[in-house]
Amino acid sequence: MHKVISHPPEAPESFLSPAYAQRAMSQPAPRHRLPDGEMPPEIAYQLIHDELLLDGQERLNLATFVTTWMEKQARDLMAESFAKNLVDKDEYPQTAEIEQRCVSILGHLFHAPAGENPMGTSTIGSSEAAMLAGLALKWRWRKRRLASGLPADRPNLVMGANVQVVWEKFCRYFEVEPRLIPVTPGCYVTTPAGVSAHVDENSIGVIGILGTTMTGEYEPIEEIHDALAAIAKTKGWEVPLHVDAASGGFVAPFLDPHLRWDFRLPLVQSINVSGHKYGFVYPGVGWVLWRSQEAVPEELIFRVNYLGGEMPTFGLNFSRPGAPVIAQYYNFLRLGRTGYTRILKAIRETALFLSGRIAKMGPFDLVSDGSQLPTFAFRLKEPAPLSAFSLSERLHARGWQVPAYTMPPDAETVSVLRIVVREGFSRDMADHFLRDLHWAVQTGAGKPATPSERRKRANRFAH
Ligand SMILES: *Cc1c(COP(=O)(O)O)cnc(C)c1O
């Protein structure tokens, strides 16, 4: 959300001088009000291009899970398809076909049971995917309750306090009670015992996270699944499991193929994954898959015919860019299973190398090591020479973005830094980073945190 800012009117402009001598370049840029006149395209381009130099360097951003590098051919394909609107399946049937192929490929990758009619769709990211999966859970639960003549007015969703913000959003936007299972200092994932203690007959589902945002650890999905199966037996409550595999959905199938977290577990109803994270596509594409047609209540599917043929859709958006879906298919064709495996292996090795060096550096303890998602968190040993927040700020002075944040309830006393290793982050860059980390600790020791550092305490990480 942004506020509307008022702006004084501008005087008219002349375009007769060279780029940086033009008045547009020597005056404040029109900011908060539509300018009265035009400006030449190259000037508008240069003005915005220059302003964007002030953004961080995306490749030095170790905070985000989202793709910051793609091959030239993928960029070409995306540029060629900027005009394609994904919702317009009648006008762009091949783009629709490519989306369908991606759904099938992911269904196979996640072991969707062919006999149960698995379904899926692309979304703008895992957040939209999570909203759709959550809605399907809520509607199914309500139907079940009403069919048995039971009240259906107090739905809850069970999940760890370490969930990504999207699940709290889902609960607020769609009026479901969030049942957050606290984490504890030293254990930052949901446990089967925690799930058993929080589930009841009004639980529309449980969220298991394959790769938590906080530490990069996988939650014990199979154990959580078995706890739910036991509850179904003893109490008769049918509580399905949704796996938030935003990051891990593109990691585990390649690096941990024997880990059972997906549709191989019968209570896993649905899975979301971000194509723009370890699917290696620029933002925004996500995916959501359901194990069966029954898992998606018919009432949530809309059929519209005003673009041509009749198309069933389940989504929060109507128009959406087709380019990221096309880029996802490019990666599937280009990389195949061996390609994804090789890239992810290299990324995980870099993560393990970095975490190993950081552990040996002296002032740090690892909270996780990057052996699951290639993402790890570390904290300063007590007594700390500087705070995690000052350290983050100092690294920023060298261009690196490494978020510092406090852990969720009940582990708020623990503050950590987190590094997400992605494609495009080489061993050489890791060496540079280690040198700068060493520098930041040495030169920052003993300096008190500035007010702006203290303000950054609250959740600096965005993904
Ligand atoms: C990133 C992330 C999300 C949100 O995904 P977007 O694709 O950014 O919308 C949800 N859950 C987890 C675990 C994530 O890591």
Side-chain angles (χ1 to χ4, degrees):
M1 287 291 282
H2 297 283
K3 47 184 181 197
V4 174
I5 299 173
S6 60
H7 197 279
E10 310 108 34
E13 179 124 30
S14 132
F15 302 125
L16 297 175
S17 41
Y20 285 92
Q22 296 232 355
R23 216 172 53 76
M25 290 302 195
S26 56
Q27 299 281 313
R31 292 206 179 136
H32 307 304
R33 185 181 144 268
L34 189 68
D36 293 330
E38 306 118 57
M39 83 171 60
E42 61 277 15
I43 298 294
Y45 170 84
Q46 200 64 47
L47 210 57
I48 298 173
H49 175 87
D50 290 359
E51 175 166 358
L52 291 175
L53 293 174
L54 292 171
D55 271 347
Q57 272 282 341
E58 56 269 25
R59 299 278 297 282
L60 300 183
N61 182 354
L62 305 185
T64 183
F65 285 93
V66 176
T67 300
T68 46
W69 183 85
M70 284 191 86
E71 287 177 331
K72 178 182 178 301
Q73 289 80 355
R75 301 161 73 116
D76 289 349
L77 272 174
M78 288 183 84
E80 288 161 21
S81 41
F82 279 151
K84 291 186 201 286
N85 184 356
L86 196 66
V87 78
D88 211 340
K89 296 186 197 293
D90 226 46
E91 181 162 4
Y92 306 117
Q94 282 325 110
T95 303
E97 163 71 21
I98 282 175
E99 181 191 17
Q100 160 67 60
R101 288 180 207 163
C102 290
V103 166
S104 300
I105 289 171
L106 287 167
H108 284 287
L109 204 59
F110 299 163
H111 302 94
E116 293 182 38
N117 247 333
M119 323 238 308
T121 179
S122 71
T123 58
I124 199 76
S126 273
S127 300
E128 187 191 5
M131 300 284 169
L132 302 183
L135 280 169
L137 289 176
K138 185 180 173 187
W139 279 67
R140 277 198 90 200
W141 167 83
R142 187 164 52 201
K143 263 193 183 169
R144 249 189 345 258
R145 297 281 295 175
L146 295 178
S148 320
L150 294 166
D153 54 345
R154 307 208 42 200
N156 70 66
L157 182 62
V158 175
M159 53 200 164
N162 54 323
V163 282
Q164 210 266 0
V165 65
V166 63
W167 293 106
E168 291 171 83
K169 275 191 189 172
F170 165 76
C171 287
R172 192 156 322 154
Y173 294 174
F174 294 108
E175 301 185 327
V176 172
E177 175 205 342
R179 278 231 175 133
L180 297 179
I181 308 167
V183 296
T184 51
C187 177
Y188 306 105
V189 294
T190 302
T191 60
V195 168
S196 304
H198 285 74
V199 159
D200 65 20
E201 60 187 323
N202 288 318
S203 300
I204 64 171
V206 171
I207 307 301
I209 316 169
L210 196 75
T212 98
T213 323
M214 304 281 163
T215 63
E217 293 166 287
Y218 295 157
E219 296 204 312
I221 308 286
E222 186 168 13
E223 286 82 352
I224 292 171
H225 172 272
D226 294 348
L228 289 177
I231 287 171
K233 246 197 204 136
T234 52
K235 306 240 165 104
W237 303 331
E238 249 180 83
V239 184
L241 184 55
H242 170 84
V243 183
D244 179 353
S247 298
F250 275 111
V251 177
F254 303 108
L255 295 186
D256 313 290
H258 301 297
L259 187 73
R260 287 161 51 86
W261 63 274
D262 56 14
F263 293 121
R264 281 169 287 184
L265 305 173
L267 293 179
V268 171
Q269 284 302 298
S270 44
I271 297 173
N272 68 272
V273 63
S274 295
H276 55 218
K277 291 186 175 175
Y278 290 106
F280 302 138
V281 182
Y282 287 135
V285 60
W287 303 93
V288 53
L289 284 101
W290 288 271
R291 75 177 301 118
S292 66
Q293 198 166 356
E294 277 140 55
V296 192
E298 183 60 26
E299 297 86 342
L300 296 176
I301 298 184
F302 284 78
R303 291 179 169 76
V304 297
N305 57 9
Y306 31 77
L307 292 175
E310 192 182 84
M311 275 299 153
T313 62
F314 182 20
L316 300 181
N317 301 291
F318 190 65
S319 300
R320 262 195 299 127
V325 168
I326 291 168
Q328 181 79 77
Y329 187 58
Y330 169 82
N331 277 350
F332 287 161
L333 281 192
R334 155 83 174 116
L335 299 174
R337 191 175 275 279
T338 56
Y340 268 102
T341 307
R342 265 157 44 119
I343 294 171
L344 286 159
K345 251 193 188 144
I347 295 176
R348 187 182 270 177
E349 273 164 24
T350 304
L352 286 167
F353 164 79
L354 262 181
S355 69
R357 285 297 167 91
I358 289 173
K360 284 202 200 110
M361 211 174 252
F364 303 113
D365 280 326
L366 293 184
V367 172
S368 53
D369 64 358
S371 59
Q372 294 181 331
L373 292 188
T375 293
F376 61 94
F378 55 104
R379 55 190 292 196
L380 282 136
K381 281 183 187 153
E382 295 296 336
L386 74 174
S387 74
F389 304 95
S390 311
L391 182 56
S392 166
E393 191 111 323
R394 297 194 67 69
L395 285 167
H396 208 168
R398 294 283 303 144
W400 301 103
Q401 290 195 53
V402 179
Y405 50 91
T406 52
M407 288 302 213
D410 291 338
E412 304 97 323
T413 51
V414 180
S415 34
V416 302
L417 294 126
R418 185 194 66 191
I419 290 180
V420 177
V421 181
R422 297 188 306 278
E423 190 177 21
F425 188 77
S426 61
R427 225 333 259 288
D428 183 54
M429 281 173 79
D431 287 331
H432 294 306
F433 174 76
L434 287 168
R435 188 200 56 207
D436 287 342
L437 180 62
H438 186 75
W439 166 86
V441 175
Q442 293 301 310
T443 56
K447 297 205 176 98
T450 64
S452 90
E453 286 166 351
R454 281 197 297 273
R455 270 199 305 280
K456 288 192 172 154
R457 283 180 70 86
N459 287 344
R460 261 192 65 188
F461 64 103
H463 303 283

